[in-house]
Amino acid sequence: MMKIVGVTACTTGIAHTYMAQEALEKECAKRGYEVKVETQGGMGIDNELTEEEIADADAVILAIAIGIEGEERFEEKQDQGKVLTMDPSSLIKNVVDVVNQLENL
């Protein structure tokens, strides 16, 4: 089973942060994938990813429109070519394509 982790964060920290999280969770559920999405929004950091969760993940998505806290946590996955970075609105609009891309990392 594929394991995906991600962080969502938009410039205002409200709508797109949580819409992107929900879109990704729904699409992964359809495919039977394990998914955990950390949100960095207006309410601060929710559902924070652990080092272990990041290490165990097959792919990472950073759906971020702003700099995020703790981005260095993903350096090892980036070195492995396992990180996809995009704007949260792109994830919301194209979630099926995005998850397909994550499968192919």
Side-chain angles (χ1 to χ4, degrees):
M1 175 175 54
M2 191 157 181
K3 284 182 160 175
I4 296 172
V5 297
V7 179
T8 60
C10 65
T11 46
T12 57
I14 307 171
H16 283 102
T17 299
Y18 302 101
M19 287 165 67
Q21 172 196 20
E22 186 180 2
L24 186 62
E25 287 173 349
K26 279 185 174 168
E27 185 58 31
C28 288
K30 275 187 206 166
R31 298 182 193 212
Y33 295 165
E34 201 174 303
V35 63
K36 182 170 177 186
V37 182
E38 173 182 311
T39 55
Q40 293 196 18
M43 308 305 287
I45 296 176
D46 281 317
N47 213 21
E48 190 165 357
L49 296 169
T50 66
E51 296 289 339
E52 190 178 342
E53 287 166 332
I54 295 166
D56 289 348
D58 297 305
V60 176
I61 177 145
L62 300 178
I64 53 177
I66 53 171
I68 56 165
E69 286 182 49
E71 195 163 356
E72 68 283 349
R73 296 174 292 171
F74 303 102
E75 282 173 1
E76 195 175 313
K77 289 288 181 193
Q78 278 176 323
D79 292 346
Q80 297 167 359
K82 298 288 184 190
V83 178
L84 190 58
T85 305
M86 68 182 51
D87 192 87
S89 59
S90 300
L91 171 60
I92 294 162
K93 286 183 203 132
N94 307 302
V95 69
V96 173
D97 293 339
V98 170
V99 177
N100 290 342
Q101 284 177 43
L102 291 169
E103 289 175 352
N104 293 316
L105 289 181

Coordinates of all heavy atoms in Angstrom, one line a residue:
M1 N 0.8 -1.2 0.0 CA 0.0 0.0 0.0 C 0.9 1.3 0.0 O 1.9 1.3 0.7 CB -0.9 0.0 1.3 CG -1.7 1.3 1.4 SD -2.8 1.3 2.8 CE -1.8 0.9 4.2
M2 N 0.5 2.2 -0.8 CA 1.3 3.4 -0.9 C 1.0 4.3 0.3 O -0.1 4.4 0.8 CB 0.9 4.1 -2.2 CG 1.8 5.3 -2.5 SD 1.8 5.7 -4.3 CE 3.0 7.0 -4.3
K3 N 2.1 4.9 0.8 CA 2.0 5.9 1.9 C 2.4 7.3 1.4 O 3.5 7.4 0.8 CB 2.9 5.5 3.0 CG 2.5 4.4 3.9 CD 3.5 4.2 5.0 CE 2.9 3.4 6.1 NZ 3.9 3.1 7.1
I4 N 1.5 8.2 1.5 CA 1.7 9.6 1.1 C 1.6 10.5 2.3 O 0.7 10.4 3.1 CB 0.7 10.0 0.0 CG1 0.9 9.1 -1.2 CG2 0.9 11.5 -0.4 CD1 -0.1 9.3 -2.3
V5 N 2.5 11.4 2.4 CA 2.4 12.5 3.4 C 2.5 13.8 2.7 O 3.1 13.9 1.6 CB 3.5 12.4 4.5 CG1 3.3 11.1 5.3 CG2 4.9 12.6 4.0
G6 N 2.0 14.9 3.3 CA 2.1 16.2 2.7 C 1.9 17.3 3.7 O 1.5 17.1 4.8
V7 N 2.1 18.5 3.2 CA 1.9 19.7 3.9 C 1.1 20.6 3.0 O 1.4 20.8 1.8 CB 3.2 20.4 4.3 CG1 2.9 21.7 5.1 CG2 4.0 19.5 5.2
T8 N 0.0 21.2 3.5 CA -0.7 22.2 2.7 C -0.6 23.6 3.4 O -0.7 23.6 4.7 CB -2.2 21.8 2.5 OG1 -2.8 21.7 3.7 CG2 -2.3 20.5 1.7
A9 N -0.4 24.6 2.7 CA -0.4 26.0 3.2 C -0.6 27.0 2.1 O 0.0 26.9 1.1 CB 1.0 26.2 3.9
C10 N -1.6 27.9 2.3 CA -1.8 28.9 1.3 C -1.5 30.3 2.0 O -1.3 30.4 3.1 CB -3.3 28.8 0.8 SG -4.5 29.2 2.1
T11 N -1.6 31.3 1.1 CA -1.1 32.6 1.6 C -2.0 33.2 2.7 O -1.5 33.8 3.6 CB -1.1 33.6 0.4 OG1 -2.3 33.5 -0.3 CG2 0.1 33.4 -0.5
T12 N -3.3 32.9 2.6 CA -4.2 33.4 3.7 C -4.3 32.4 4.9 O -4.8 32.8 5.9 CB -5.6 33.7 3.2 OG1 -6.1 32.5 2.6 CG2 -5.6 34.8 2.2
G13 N -3.9 31.2 4.6 CA -4.0 30.2 5.7 C -5.4 29.7 6.0 O -5.6 29.2 7.1
I14 N -6.3 29.9 5.1 CA -7.7 29.5 5.4 C -8.1 28.5 4.4 O -7.8 27.3 4.4 CB -8.6 30.7 5.5 CG1 -8.1 31.8 6.5 CG2 -10.0 30.3 6.0 CD1 -8.8 33.1 6.6
A15 N -8.9 28.9 3.4 CA -9.7 28.0 2.5 C -8.8 27.0 1.8 O -9.0 25.8 2.0 CB -10.5 28.8 1.5
H16 N -7.8 27.4 1.0 CA -7.1 26.5 0.1 C -6.3 25.5 0.9 O -6.1 24.3 0.5 CB -6.2 27.2 -0.9 CG -7.0 27.8 -2.0 ND1 -7.3 29.1 -2.1 CD2 -7.5 27.2 -3.1 CE1 -8.0 29.3 -3.2 NE2 -8.2 28.2 -3.8
T17 N -5.8 25.9 2.1 CA -5.0 25.0 2.9 C -5.9 23.7 3.2 O -5.4 22.6 3.1 CB -4.6 25.7 4.3 OG1 -3.8 26.8 4.0 CG2 -3.9 24.7 5.2
Y18 N -7.1 23.9 3.6 CA -7.9 22.8 4.1 C -8.6 22.1 2.9 O -8.9 20.9 2.9 CB -8.9 23.3 5.1 CG -8.2 23.9 6.3 CD1 -8.0 25.3 6.5 CD2 -7.5 23.1 7.2 CE1 -7.3 25.8 7.5 CE2 -6.7 23.6 8.2 CZ -6.6 25.0 8.4 OH -5.8 25.5 9.4
M19 N -8.9 22.9 1.8 CA -9.5 22.3 0.6 C -8.5 21.3 0.0 O -8.9 20.2 -0.5 CB -9.9 23.4 -0.4 CG -11.2 24.1 0.1 SD -11.4 25.7 -0.9 CE -11.7 25.1 -2.5
A20 N -7.2 21.7 0.0 CA -6.2 20.9 -0.6 C -6.0 19.6 0.2 O -5.9 18.5 -0.3 CB -4.9 21.6 -0.7
Q21 N -6.0 19.8 1.5 CA -6.0 18.6 2.4 C -7.1 17.6 2.2 O -6.9 16.4 2.0 CB -6.0 19.1 3.9 CG -6.1 17.9 4.9 CD -6.5 18.4 6.3 OE1 -7.1 19.5 6.5 NE2 -6.3 17.6 7.3
E22 N -8.3 18.2 2.1 CA -9.5 17.3 1.9 C -9.5 16.6 0.6 O -9.8 15.4 0.5 CB -10.7 18.2 2.0 CG -12.0 17.4 2.0 CD -13.3 18.2 2.1 OE1 -13.2 19.4 2.2 OE2 -14.3 17.6 2.1
A23 N -9.1 17.3 -0.5 CA -9.0 16.7 -1.8 C -8.0 15.6 -1.9 O -8.3 14.5 -2.4 CB -8.6 17.8 -2.8
L24 N -6.9 15.8 -1.3 CA -5.8 14.7 -1.3 C -6.3 13.5 -0.4 O -6.2 12.4 -0.9 CB -4.5 15.3 -0.7 CG -3.3 14.3 -0.8 CD1 -3.0 14.0 -2.2 CD2 -2.1 15.0 -0.1
E25 N -6.9 13.8 0.7 CA -7.4 12.7 1.6 C -8.4 11.8 0.9 O -8.4 10.6 0.9 CB -7.9 13.2 2.9 CG -6.7 13.7 3.8 CD -7.2 14.4 5.1 OE1 -8.4 14.7 5.2 OE2 -6.3 14.6 6.0
K26 N -9.4 12.5 0.2 CA -10.4 11.8 -0.5 C -9.9 10.9 -1.6 O -10.3 9.8 -1.8 CB -11.5 12.8 -1.1 CG -12.4 13.3 0.0 CD -13.5 14.2 -0.7 CE -14.6 14.6 0.3 NZ -15.5 15.6 -0.2
E27 N -9.0 11.5 -2.4 CA -8.5 10.8 -3.6 C -7.6 9.6 -3.1 O -7.7 8.5 -3.6 CB -7.6 11.7 -4.5 CG -7.1 11.0 -5.7 CD -8.2 10.5 -6.6 OE1 -9.3 11.0 -6.7 OE2 -7.9 9.4 -7.3
C28 N -6.9 9.8 -2.0 CA -6.0 8.6 -1.5 C -6.9 7.6 -0.9 O -6.7 6.4 -1.1 CB -5.1 9.1 -0.5 SG -3.7 10.1 -1.2
A29 N -8.0 8.0 -0.3 CA -9.0 7.0 0.3 C -9.6 6.1 -0.8 O -9.7 4.9 -0.6 CB -10.0 7.7 1.1
K30 N -9.9 6.8 -1.9 CA -10.5 6.0 -3.1 C -9.6 4.9 -3.5 O -10.0 3.9 -4.0 CB -10.7 7.0 -4.2 CG -12.0 7.7 -4.2 CD -12.2 8.5 -5.5 CE -13.0 9.7 -5.3 NZ -12.9 10.6 -6.5
R31 N -8.2 5.2 -3.5 CA -7.3 4.3 -4.0 C -6.7 3.3 -2.9 O -5.9 2.5 -3.2 CB -6.1 5.1 -4.6 CG -6.5 6.0 -5.7 CD -5.3 6.7 -6.3 NE -5.7 7.7 -7.2 CZ -5.0 8.1 -8.3 NH1 -3.9 7.5 -8.6 NH2 -5.5 9.1 -9.0
G32 N -7.2 3.5 -1.7 CA -6.8 2.7 -0.6 C -5.4 3.0 -0.1 O -4.7 2.1 0.5
Y33 N -4.9 4.2 -0.3 CA -3.6 4.6 0.2 C -3.7 5.2 1.6 O -4.7 5.8 2.0 CB -3.0 5.7 -0.7 CG -2.8 5.3 -2.1 CD1 -2.6 6.2 -3.1 CD2 -2.7 4.0 -2.5 CE1 -2.3 5.9 -4.4 CE2 -2.5 3.6 -3.8 CZ -2.3 4.5 -4.8 OH -2.0 4.2 -6.1
E34 N -2.6 5.1 2.3 CA -2.4 5.7 3.6 C -2.0 7.1 3.3 O -1.0 7.4 2.5 CB -1.3 4.9 4.4 CG -1.4 5.1 5.9 CD -0.4 4.2 6.6 OE1 -0.5 3.0 6.4 OE2 0.4 4.8 7.3
V35 N -2.6 8.1 4.0 CA -2.2 9.5 3.8 C -2.3 10.3 5.1 O -3.2 10.0 5.9 CB -3.1 10.1 2.7 CG1 -4.6 10.2 3.1 CG2 -2.7 11.5 2.3
K36 N -1.4 11.2 5.3 CA -1.5 12.1 6.4 C -1.0 13.5 5.9 O 0.0 13.6 5.2 CB -0.6 11.7 7.5 CG -0.7 12.6 8.7 CD 0.0 12.1 10.0 CE -0.1 13.2 11.1 NZ 0.7 12.8 12.3
V37 N -1.9 14.5 6.1 CA -1.6 15.8 5.6 C -1.5 16.8 6.8 O -2.4 16.9 7.6 CB -2.7 16.3 4.7 CG1 -2.4 17.7 4.1 CG2 -2.9 15.3 3.5
E38 N -0.4 17.4 6.9 CA -0.2 18.5 7.9 C -0.6 19.8 7.3 O -0.3 20.1 6.2 CB 1.3 18.5 8.2 CG 1.8 19.7 9.1 CD 3.3 19.7 9.4 OE1 3.9 18.6 9.7 OE2 3.9 20.8 9.2
T39 N -1.4 20.5 8.1 CA -1.8 21.8 7.6 C -1.1 22.9 8.4 O -0.9 22.8 9.6 CB -3.3 22.0 7.7 OG1 -3.7 21.8 9.1 CG2 -4.1 21.1 6.8
Q40 N -0.6 23.9 7.6 CA 0.0 25.1 8.3 C -0.9 26.2 7.8 O -0.7 26.8 6.8 CB 1.4 25.3 7.8 CG 2.3 24.2 8.4 CD 3.8 24.5 8.3 OE1 4.2 25.6 8.1 NE2 4.6 23.5 8.4
G41 N -1.9 26.5 8.7 CA -2.9 27.5 8.3 C -3.0 28.6 9.3 O -2.1 28.8 10.2
G42 N -4.1 29.3 9.3 CA -4.4 30.4 10.2 C -4.4 30.0 11.6 O -4.2 30.8 12.5
M43 N -4.7 28.7 11.9 CA -4.7 28.2 13.2 C -3.4 27.6 13.7 O -3.3 26.9 14.7 CB -5.8 27.1 13.4 CG -7.2 27.5 12.8 SD -7.8 29.1 13.5 CE -8.3 28.5 15.1
G44 N -2.4 27.8 12.9 CA -1.1 27.2 13.2 C -0.9 25.9 12.5 O -1.5 25.6 11.5
I45 N -0.1 25.0 13.1 CA 0.2 23.7 12.5 C -0.7 22.7 13.2 O -0.8 22.5 14.4 CB 1.7 23.3 12.8 CG1 2.6 24.3 12.0 CG2 1.9 21.9 12.3 CD1 4.1 24.0 12.3
D46 N -1.4 22.0 12.3 CA -2.3 20.9 12.7 C -1.8 19.6 12.1 O -1.3 19.6 11.0 CB -3.8 21.1 12.3 CG -4.5 22.1 13.2 OD1 -4.3 22.0 14.5 OD2 -5.2 23.0 12.7
N47 N -2.0 18.5 12.8 CA -1.8 17.1 12.3 C -0.3 17.0 11.9 O 0.1 16.5 10.8 CB -2.7 16.9 11.0 CG -3.0 15.5 10.8 OD1 -3.0 14.7 11.8 ND2 -3.4 15.1 9.6
E48 N 0.6 17.5 12.8 CA 2.0 17.6 12.4 C 2.6 16.3 12.1 O 2.4 15.3 12.8 CB 2.8 18.3 13.6 CG 4.2 18.6 13.3 CD 4.8 19.6 14.3 OE1 4.2 20.0 15.2 OE2 6.0 19.9 14.1
L49 N 3.4 16.2 11.1 CA 4.1 15.0 10.6 C 5.3 14.7 11.5 O 6.0 15.6 11.8 CB 4.5 15.1 9.2 CG 3.4 15.3 8.1 CD1 4.1 15.6 6.8 CD2 2.6 14.0 8.0
T50 N 5.4 13.4 11.8 CA 6.6 13.0 12.6 C 7.8 12.7 11.6 O 7.5 12.4 10.5 CB 6.3 11.8 13.5 OG1 6.1 10.7 12.6 CG2 5.1 12.0 14.4
E51 N 9.0 12.7 12.2 CA 10.1 12.3 11.3 C 9.9 10.8 10.8 O 10.2 10.5 9.6 CB 11.4 12.3 12.2 CG 11.8 13.6 12.7 CD 12.3 14.6 11.6 OE1 12.7 14.1 10.5 OE2 12.3 15.8 11.8
E52 N 9.3 10.0 11.6 CA 9.1 8.6 11.2 C 8.1 8.5 10.1 O 8.3 7.7 9.1 CB 8.6 7.8 12.4 CG 8.6 6.3 12.2 CD 8.1 5.5 13.4 OE1 8.1 6.1 14.6 OE2 7.7 4.4 13.2
E53 N 7.0 9.3 10.2 CA 6.0 9.3 9.1 C 6.6 9.7 7.8 O 6.3 9.2 6.7 CB 4.8 10.2 9.5 CG 4.0 9.5 10.6 CD 3.0 10.5 11.2 OE1 3.3 11.7 11.2 OE2 1.9 10.0 11.7
I54 N 7.4 10.8 7.9 CA 8.1 11.3 6.7 C 9.0 10.2 6.1 O 9.0 9.9 4.9 CB 8.8 12.6 6.9 CG1 7.8 13.7 7.3 CG2 9.7 13.0 5.7 CD1 8.4 14.9 7.9
A55 N 9.8 9.6 7.0 CA 10.8 8.6 6.5 C 10.1 7.4 5.9 O 10.6 6.8 4.9 CB 11.6 8.1 7.7
D56 N 8.9 7.0 6.4 CA 8.2 5.8 5.9 C 7.4 6.1 4.6 O 6.9 5.2 4.0 CB 7.2 5.3 7.0 CG 7.9 4.7 8.2 OD1 9.1 4.4 8.0 OD2 7.3 4.4 9.2
A57 N 7.2 7.4 4.3 CA 6.4 7.7 3.1 C 7.0 7.3 1.8 O 8.3 7.4 1.7 CB 6.1 9.2 3.2
D58 N 6.2 6.9 0.9 CA 6.6 6.6 -0.5 C 6.8 7.9 -1.3 O 7.5 8.0 -2.2 CB 5.6 5.7 -1.2 CG 5.5 4.3 -0.5 OD1 6.6 3.7 -0.3 OD2 4.4 4.0 -0.1
A59 N 6.0 8.9 -0.9 CA 6.0 10.2 -1.7 C 5.5 11.3 -0.8 O 4.7 11.1 0.2 CB 5.1 10.1 -2.9
V60 N 6.0 12.5 -1.1 CA 5.6 13.7 -0.3 C 5.1 14.7 -1.2 O 5.6 14.9 -2.3 CB 6.9 14.3 0.4 CG1 6.5 15.5 1.2 CG2 7.5 13.2 1.4
I61 N 4.0 15.3 -0.8 CA 3.5 16.5 -1.6 C 3.5 17.7 -0.7 O 3.0 17.7 0.4 CB 2.0 16.2 -2.1 CG1 1.6 17.5 -2.9 CG2 1.1 15.8 -1.1 CD1 0.7 17.3 -4.1
L62 N 4.1 18.8 -1.2 CA 4.1 20.1 -0.6 C 3.2 21.0 -1.4 O 3.6 21.5 -2.5 CB 5.5 20.6 -0.5 CG 6.5 19.7 0.3 CD1 7.9 20.4 0.3 CD2 6.0 19.5 1.8
A63 N 2.0 21.1 -1.0 CA 1.0 22.0 -1.7 C 1.0 23.3 -0.9 O 0.2 23.6 0.0 CB -0.4 21.4 -1.7
I64 N 2.0 24.1 -1.3 CA 2.3 25.3 -0.5 C 2.5 26.5 -1.4 O 3.1 26.5 -2.4 CB 3.6 25.1 0.4 CG1 4.8 24.7 -0.5 CG2 3.3 24.1 1.5 CD1 6.1 24.5 0.3
A65 N 1.9 27.6 -0.9 CA 2.0 28.9 -1.6 C 2.9 29.9 -0.9 O 3.1 31.0 -1.3 CB 0.6 29.5 -1.8
I66 N 3.4 29.4 0.3 CA 4.2 30.3 1.2 C 5.3 29.4 1.7 O 5.2 28.2 1.6 CB 3.4 30.9 2.4 CG1 2.6 29.7 3.1 CG2 2.4 31.9 1.9 CD1 2.0 30.1 4.4
G67 N 6.3 30.0 2.3 CA 7.3 29.2 3.0 C 6.7 28.5 4.2 O 5.8 29.1 4.8
I68 N 7.1 27.3 4.5 CA 6.5 26.6 5.6 C 7.5 26.4 6.7 O 8.7 26.4 6.5 CB 5.9 25.2 5.2 CG1 7.0 24.4 4.5 CG2 4.7 25.5 4.3 CD1 6.6 22.9 4.3
E69 N 7.0 26.1 7.9 CA 7.9 25.8 9.0 C 8.4 24.3 8.8 O 7.6 23.5 8.5 CB 7.2 25.9 10.3 CG 7.0 27.3 10.8 CD 6.3 27.4 12.1 OE1 6.7 26.7 13.1 OE2 5.3 28.1 12.2
G70 N 9.6 24.1 9.1 CA 10.1 22.7 9.1 C 10.3 22.1 7.7 O 10.3 20.9 7.5
E71 N 10.5 22.9 6.7 CA 10.7 22.4 5.3 C 11.9 21.5 5.2 O 11.9 20.5 4.4 CB 10.8 23.5 4.3 CG 10.6 23.0 2.9 CD 10.3 24.2 1.9 OE1 10.1 25.3 2.3 OE2 10.2 23.8 0.7
E72 N 12.9 21.7 6.1 CA 14.1 20.9 6.0 C 13.9 19.4 6.4 O 14.6 18.6 6.0 CB 15.2 21.5 7.0 CG 14.9 21.4 8.5 CD 13.9 22.4 9.0 OE1 13.5 23.4 8.3 OE2 13.4 22.3 10.1
R73 N 12.7 19.2 7.0 CA 12.4 17.8 7.3 C 12.3 16.9 6.1 O 12.4 15.7 6.2 CB 11.0 17.7 8.1 CG 11.0 18.4 9.4 CD 9.6 18.4 10.0 NE 8.7 19.2 9.2 CZ 7.4 19.3 9.3 NH1 6.8 18.6 10.2 NH2 6.7 20.1 8.6
F74 N 12.1 17.5 4.9 CA 11.8 16.8 3.7 C 13.0 16.7 2.8 O 13.0 16.2 1.7 CB 10.7 17.4 2.9 CG 9.4 17.5 3.8 CD1 9.0 18.7 4.4 CD2 8.6 16.4 4.0 CE1 7.9 18.8 5.2 CE2 7.5 16.5 4.8 CZ 7.1 17.7 5.4
E75 N 14.2 17.2 3.3 CA 15.4 17.2 2.4 C 15.8 15.9 1.9 O 16.1 15.7 0.8 CB 16.6 17.9 3.2 CG 16.4 19.4 3.2 CD 17.5 20.1 4.1 OE1 18.3 19.4 4.7 OE2 17.4 21.3 4.1
E76 N 15.8 14.9 2.8 CA 16.2 13.5 2.4 C 15.3 13.0 1.3 O 15.7 12.4 0.3 CB 16.2 12.6 3.6 CG 16.9 11.3 3.4 CD 17.0 10.4 4.6 OE1 17.3 11.0 5.7 OE2 16.7 9.2 4.5
K77 N 14.0 13.2 1.4 CA 13.0 12.7 0.4 C 13.2 13.5 -0.9 O 13.1 13.0 -2.0 CB 11.6 12.9 0.9 CG 11.2 11.9 2.0 CD 11.0 10.5 1.4 CE 10.6 9.6 2.5 NZ 10.7 8.2 2.1
Q78 N 13.6 14.8 -0.8 CA 13.9 15.6 -2.0 C 15.1 15.0 -2.7 O 15.1 14.9 -3.9 CB 14.0 17.1 -1.6 CG 12.7 17.8 -1.5 CD 12.8 19.2 -1.1 OE1 13.6 19.6 -0.3 NE2 11.9 20.0 -1.6
D79 N 16.1 14.7 -2.0 CA 17.3 14.1 -2.5 C 17.0 12.8 -3.3 O 17.6 12.4 -4.3 CB 18.4 13.8 -1.5 CG 18.9 15.1 -0.9 OD1 18.7 16.2 -1.5 OD2 19.6 15.0 0.2
Q80 N 16.0 12.1 -2.8 CA 15.5 10.8 -3.4 C 14.6 11.0 -4.6 O 14.1 10.1 -5.2 CB 14.8 9.9 -2.4 CG 15.7 9.5 -1.2 CD 14.9 8.9 -0.1 OE1 13.7 8.8 -0.1 NE2 15.6 8.5 1.0
G81 N 14.2 12.3 -4.8 CA 13.3 12.6 -5.9 C 11.8 12.2 -5.6 O 11.0 11.9 -6.5
K82 N 11.5 12.2 -4.3 CA 10.2 11.8 -3.9 C 9.3 12.9 -3.4 O 8.3 12.6 -2.8 CB 10.3 10.8 -2.7 CG 11.1 9.5 -3.0 CD 10.3 8.6 -3.9 CE 11.0 7.3 -4.2 NZ 10.3 6.6 -5.3
V83 N 9.6 14.1 -3.8 CA 8.8 15.3 -3.3 C 8.2 16.0 -4.5 O 8.9 16.3 -5.5 CB 9.6 16.3 -2.5 CG1 8.8 17.5 -2.1 CG2 10.2 15.5 -1.2
L84 N 6.9 16.3 -4.5 CA 6.3 17.1 -5.5 C 5.8 18.4 -4.8 O 5.1 18.3 -3.8 CB 5.1 16.3 -6.0 CG 4.3 16.7 -7.2 CD1 5.3 16.8 -8.4 CD2 3.2 15.8 -7.6
T85 N 6.2 19.5 -5.4 CA 5.8 20.8 -4.8 C 4.9 21.5 -5.8 O 5.2 21.6 -7.0 CB 7.1 21.6 -4.5 OG1 7.9 20.8 -3.6 CG2 6.7 22.9 -3.8
M86 N 3.8 22.1 -5.3 CA 2.9 22.8 -6.2 C 2.1 23.8 -5.4 O 2.1 23.7 -4.1 CB 2.0 21.9 -7.0 CG 1.0 21.2 -6.1 SD 0.0 20.0 -7.0 CE 1.3 19.1 -7.9
D87 N 1.3 24.6 -6.1 CA 0.4 25.5 -5.4 C -0.8 24.7 -4.9 O -1.2 23.8 -5.6 CB 0.0 26.6 -6.4 CG -0.8 27.7 -5.7 OD1 -0.1 28.7 -5.3 OD2 -2.0 27.7 -5.7
P88 N -1.4 25.1 -3.8 CA -2.5 24.3 -3.3 C -3.7 24.3 -4.3 O -4.4 23.3 -4.4 CB -2.9 25.1 -2.0 CG -1.7 25.8 -1.6 CD -0.9 26.1 -2.8
S89 N -3.9 25.4 -5.0 CA -5.0 25.5 -5.9 C -4.8 24.5 -7.1 O -5.8 23.9 -7.6 CB -5.2 26.9 -6.5 OG -4.0 27.3 -7.1
S90 N -3.6 24.2 -7.5 CA -3.3 23.2 -8.5 C -3.7 21.8 -8.0 O -4.2 21.0 -8.7 CB -1.8 23.2 -8.9 OG -1.5 24.5 -9.4
L91 N -3.4 21.5 -6.7 CA -3.7 20.2 -6.2 C -5.3 20.1 -6.1 O -5.8 19.0 -6.5 CB -3.2 20.1 -4.7 CG -3.6 18.9 -3.9 CD1 -3.3 17.6 -4.6 CD2 -3.0 18.9 -2.5
I92 N -6.0 21.1 -5.7 CA -7.4 21.0 -5.6 C -8.0 20.8 -7.0 O -8.9 19.9 -7.1 CB -8.0 22.3 -5.0 CG1 -7.5 22.5 -3.6 CG2 -9.5 22.4 -5.1 CD1 -7.6 23.9 -3.0
K93 N -7.6 21.5 -8.0 CA -8.1 21.3 -9.4 C -7.8 20.0 -10.0 O -8.5 19.5 -10.9 CB -7.6 22.5 -10.2 CG -8.3 23.8 -9.9 CD -7.8 24.9 -10.9 CE -7.9 26.3 -10.4 NZ -6.7 27.1 -10.5
N94 N -6.6 19.5 -9.7 CA -6.0 18.4 -10.5 C -5.7 17.2 -9.6 O -4.7 16.5 -9.8 CB -4.8 18.8 -11.3 CG -5.1 20.0 -12.1 OD1 -5.9 20.0 -13.0 ND2 -4.3 21.1 -11.9
V95 N -6.4 16.9 -8.6 CA -6.0 15.9 -7.6 C -5.7 14.6 -8.1 O -4.8 13.9 -7.7 CB -7.0 15.9 -6.3 CG1 -8.3 15.3 -6.7 CG2 -6.4 15.1 -5.2
V96 N -6.5 14.1 -9.1 CA -6.3 12.8 -9.7 C -5.0 12.8 -10.4 O -4.2 11.8 -10.2 CB -7.5 12.5 -10.7 CG1 -7.2 11.2 -11.4 CG2 -8.8 12.3 -9.9
D97 N -4.7 13.8 -11.2 CA -3.4 13.8 -11.9 C -2.2 13.9 -10.9 O -1.2 13.3 -11.1 CB -3.3 15.1 -12.8 CG -4.3 14.9 -14.0 OD1 -4.7 13.8 -14.3 OD2 -4.6 16.0 -14.6
V98 N -2.4 14.7 -9.8 CA -1.4 14.8 -8.8 C -1.0 13.5 -8.2 O 0.1 13.1 -8.0 CB -1.7 15.9 -7.8 CG1 -0.8 15.9 -6.6 CG2 -1.8 17.3 -8.5
V99 N -2.1 12.8 -7.8 CA -1.8 11.5 -7.1 C -1.2 10.5 -8.1 O -0.3 9.7 -7.8 CB -3.1 10.9 -6.5 CG1 -2.8 9.5 -5.9 CG2 -3.6 11.9 -5.4
N100 N -1.6 10.6 -9.4 CA -0.9 9.8 -10.4 C 0.6 10.1 -10.5 O 1.4 9.2 -10.6 CB -1.5 10.0 -11.8 CG -2.9 9.4 -11.9 OD1 -3.3 8.5 -11.1 ND2 -3.7 9.9 -12.9
Q101 N 0.9 11.4 -10.4 CA 2.3 11.8 -10.4 C 3.1 11.3 -9.2 O 4.2 10.9 -9.3 CB 2.4 13.4 -10.4 CG 2.1 14.0 -11.8 CD 2.2 15.5 -11.7 OE1 3.1 16.1 -11.1 NE2 1.2 16.2 -12.3
L102 N 2.4 11.3 -8.0 CA 3.0 10.8 -6.8 C 3.3 9.3 -6.9 O 4.4 8.9 -6.5 CB 2.1 11.1 -5.6 CG 2.0 12.5 -5.2 CD1 0.9 12.7 -4.2 CD2 3.3 13.1 -4.6
E103 N 2.5 8.6 -7.6 CA 2.7 7.2 -7.8 C 3.9 6.9 -8.6 O 4.6 5.9 -8.5 CB 1.5 6.5 -8.6 CG 0.2 6.4 -7.7 CD -0.9 5.9 -8.6 OE1 -0.8 5.8 -9.8 OE2 -2.0 5.7 -7.9
N104 N 4.2 7.8 -9.5 CA 5.3 7.6 -10.4 C 6.7 8.2 -10.0 O 7.6 8.2 -10.7 CB 5.0 8.2 -11.8 CG 3.8 7.4 -12.4 OD1 3.8 6.2 -12.4 ND2 2.8 8.1 -13.0
L105 N 6.7 8.8 -8.8 CA 7.9 9.4 -8.3 C 8.9 8.3 -8.0 O 8.6 7.2 -7.6 CB 7.7 10.2 -7.0 CG 7.0 11.5 -7.2 CD1 6.8 12.2 -5.9 CD2 7.7 12.4 -8.2

